[in-house]
Amino acid sequence: MRVAMRGTTAVVGFLLFLGPNLIPASGTGVAVAQTMAADNNLRAEVINKALNKSKFKNVQVTVANGVVKLTGTVDVFDTKEDADKRVHRVKGVTGVDNEIQIAGPDVPDAELQSKLVKAIQYDRVGYGTTAFNAIAVQVQGGVVTLSGHAFGPVDADSAVAVAANTKGVKDVVNDIQVDPLSPMDNRIRIAAFRAIYGFPSLNKYAIDPGKPIRISVQNGNVTLYGVVDSQADKDAAGIRANTVSGVFHVTNNLVVANGSNEK
C-alpha cells in the first residue's frame, strides 16, 4: 500500500513540475468538435443557398475555420466570379479561396480577341452611347485585358460582362477609364458627334451601328478613335472636331484602313 501511495505521489509531483500549460485541457476536444460542426453547417449554407443553381453543379466546397475553398469547373469566367460574390455574402464566411477552373477547350488568342472586339463594338448599340465608347481588347493566354475609354460606368461594366461571359476567357483585367460625365463634356460629345457625322464625306460612317469613328471627351479634350477609309476622312474628322465650341485640344488617333496612321 505504501509503494502504491509513493507511486501516485511521484506522478502528481511530475505533472506539477511540468506546469499547468503542458497538461492536456479537457475542453480541447470539445472546441475542435464545435469548430468542425460550425464548418459543416457553413458548408451546407454555402451549397444550399449561395451555390444552389445549375451553373454551379460542378463546383466543390470545403470549409476550414470559416474559410471557404471553391474547386471544380464552370463554363465561363463570369460564373466563377459570381460564385465568389455569392459565397462572400453568406453569414459566417471569413474568406474565400477561389480555385475554380474554366472548363472547355482553349481558344486561340487571336480568334478570341477578334470575337471580343466585334462583340464589344456592338454591345451598346441602341443606347445612344456607342460612338462615345473606345474600348480596346487584348488577349494573352486566355486572359483578356480591356482598356481605353467608356462613356459611363454602365458601358464599362457591360464590356466586362461581355468578356466574362465569352467561352474561352480565363480571366478579365479591367483597365477601362470612364470619361467624366460633366455637363460641359456631354455637350461637347453631342456637338462633336453632329459635327463629324453630319459632314457630307463622313456621314457614311453612321450607316454601320458599330460606328467606326469613336469620340472620347475628358475635360474638354477630344480624342478620336477608330478606322476610316482615307487620310482625307481622318483629316476631315479632326478638323470638324476642332470646330466645336469649348474644345481645348483634339487628338486624332483614327487609323486609315490599309494605310499609315498619321496624326
Side-chain angles (χ1 to χ4, degrees):
M1 187 68 180
R2 287 184 209 146
V3 173
M5 288 294 292
R6 280 199 299 272
T8 302
T9 302
V11 170
V12 171
F14 178 70
L15 290 175
L16 291 174
F17 174 76
L18 289 175
N21 292 332
L22 298 181
I23 302 176
S26 60
T28 301
V30 174
V32 171
Q34 289 176 339
T35 300
M36 291 179 64
D39 284 344
N40 287 334
N41 290 336
L42 187 57
R43 179 176 180 273
E45 286 279 307
V46 168
I47 293 173
N48 297 326
K49 293 185 178 181
L51 305 179
N52 59 345
K53 295 183 178 295
S54 59
K55 64 181 181 179
F56 302 122
K57 63 183 179 180
N58 293 322
V59 175
Q60 288 81 51
V61 181
T62 56
V63 182
N65 296 316
V67 177
V68 179
K69 182 176 181 179
L70 303 176
T71 55
T73 60
V74 293
D75 290 337
V76 292
F77 178 73
D78 185 69
T79 304
K80 175 179 178 177
E81 292 290 276
D82 191 28
D84 199 283
K85 293 174 183 176
R86 286 170 173 269
V87 173
H88 265 109
R89 290 197 292 264
V90 176
K91 185 177 180 181
V93 172
T94 59
V96 178
D97 179 13
N98 192 346
E99 297 184 11
I100 297 174
Q101 301 296 311
I102 311 301
D106 291 334
V107 179
D109 287 347
E111 178 183 333
L112 191 57
Q113 181 166 320
S114 177
K115 182 178 181 179
L116 287 172
V117 166
K118 185 175 182 179
I120 290 173
Q121 278 180 338
Y122 289 87
D123 176 43
R124 298 294 290 169
V125 168
Y127 290 91
T129 60
T130 305
F132 308 128
N133 291 315
I135 298 172
V137 181
Q138 288 186 325
V139 182
Q140 185 171 7
V143 177
V144 177
T145 300
L146 302 178
S147 58
H149 294 266
F151 169 75
V154 173
D155 298 78
D157 290 344
S158 186
V160 172
V162 168
N165 282 286
T166 300
K167 290 189 176 181
V169 173
K170 305 301 182 184
D171 198 357
V172 179
V173 179
N174 181 9
D175 286 338
I176 300 172
Q177 297 181 49
V178 176
D179 288 342
L181 295 176
S182 69
M184 181 187 77
D185 281 349
N186 282 338
R187 181 190 62 78
I188 291 174
R189 285 186 188 96
I190 296 171
F193 177 89
R194 292 172 177 168
I196 292 171
Y197 284 96
F199 194 64
S201 66
L202 300 177
N203 56 26
K204 61 186 176 182
Y205 295 108
I207 297 174
D208 187 339
K211 293 186 178 69
I213 298 178
R214 304 297 179 115
I215 304 161
S216 179
V217 182
Q218 307 93 32
N219 303 315
N221 296 291
V222 178
T223 305
L224 303 180
Y225 299 93
V227 180
V228 291
D229 296 335
S230 65
Q231 184 65 39
D233 285 350
K234 174 178 178 175
D235 294 340
I239 292 170
R240 298 299 296 169
N242 266 306
T243 65
V244 174
S245 174
V247 170
F248 299 135
H249 180 72
V250 175
T251 301
N252 193 343
N253 286 338
L254 289 171
V255 175
V256 178
N258 301 317
S260 60
N261 183 21
E262 299 175 13
K263 295 185 179 180

